Amino acid sequence: MSTEQLQEITELTFRGFSAQIRIGDRPLTIYKPEYDEETKTASGWIASEPGEEYCVCWKKNEVTEYDAGGEVYIDGPRKRGDTYVRKKET
């Protein structure tokens, strides 16, 4: 197995944005991260335990010329709490 395959991923970074899911201060491992330029989406899944509270951390890493949005799905259905970022009007 290569070093790249053993690296733990705790943040999805794509098209100028990053997303991370945490329990307390601990970032969770993201399994099977996927990045799709055609649909302009990034996705992955995390393991969780019933009753655990989590938070989703979004970060804009660079100035972009396009609007952006984020959604979180839990076991299939969309979880309320969408995030949208619009380009800065000049």
Side-chain angles (χ1 to χ4, degrees), residues 53-89:
E53 291 187 14
Y54 66 91
C55 67
V56 179
C57 305
W58 307 96
K59 181 170 61 171
K60 187 171 183 180
N61 300 318
E62 58 191 59
V63 175
T64 59
E65 296 292 323
Y66 47 83
D67 296 346
E71 298 177 332
V72 176
Y73 293 78
I74 298 175
D75 293 333
R78 184 169 57 92
K79 182 65 176 174
R80 286 292 211 214
D82 299 338
T83 300
Y84 297 96
V85 179
R86 293 205 167 111
K87 65 182 177 179
K88 185 176 179 181
E89 300 294 329

Side-chain angles (χ1 to χ4, degrees), residues 13-84:
T13 301
F14 186 63
R15 297 179 57 82
F17 293 87
S18 296
Q20 186 178 73
I21 298 181
R22 297 172 172 249
I23 292 178
D25 290 333
R26 180 175 54 93
L28 301 180
T29 300
I30 299 171
Y31 298 96
K32 296 188 179 181
E34 295 181 10
Y35 306 92
D36 187 329
E37 282 291 342
E38 186 175 319
T39 61
K40 300 179 175 115
T41 59
S43 63
W45 66 271
I46 61 164
S48 62
E49 295 184 24
E52 291 280 2
E53 291 187 14
Y54 66 91
C55 67
V56 179
C57 305
W58 307 96
K59 181 170 61 171
K60 187 171 183 180
N61 300 318
E62 58 191 59
V63 175
T64 59
E65 296 292 323
Y66 47 83
D67 296 346
E71 298 177 332
V72 176
Y73 293 78
I74 298 175
D75 293 333
R78 184 169 57 92
K79 182 65 176 174
R80 286 292 211 214
D82 299 338
T83 300
Y84 297 96

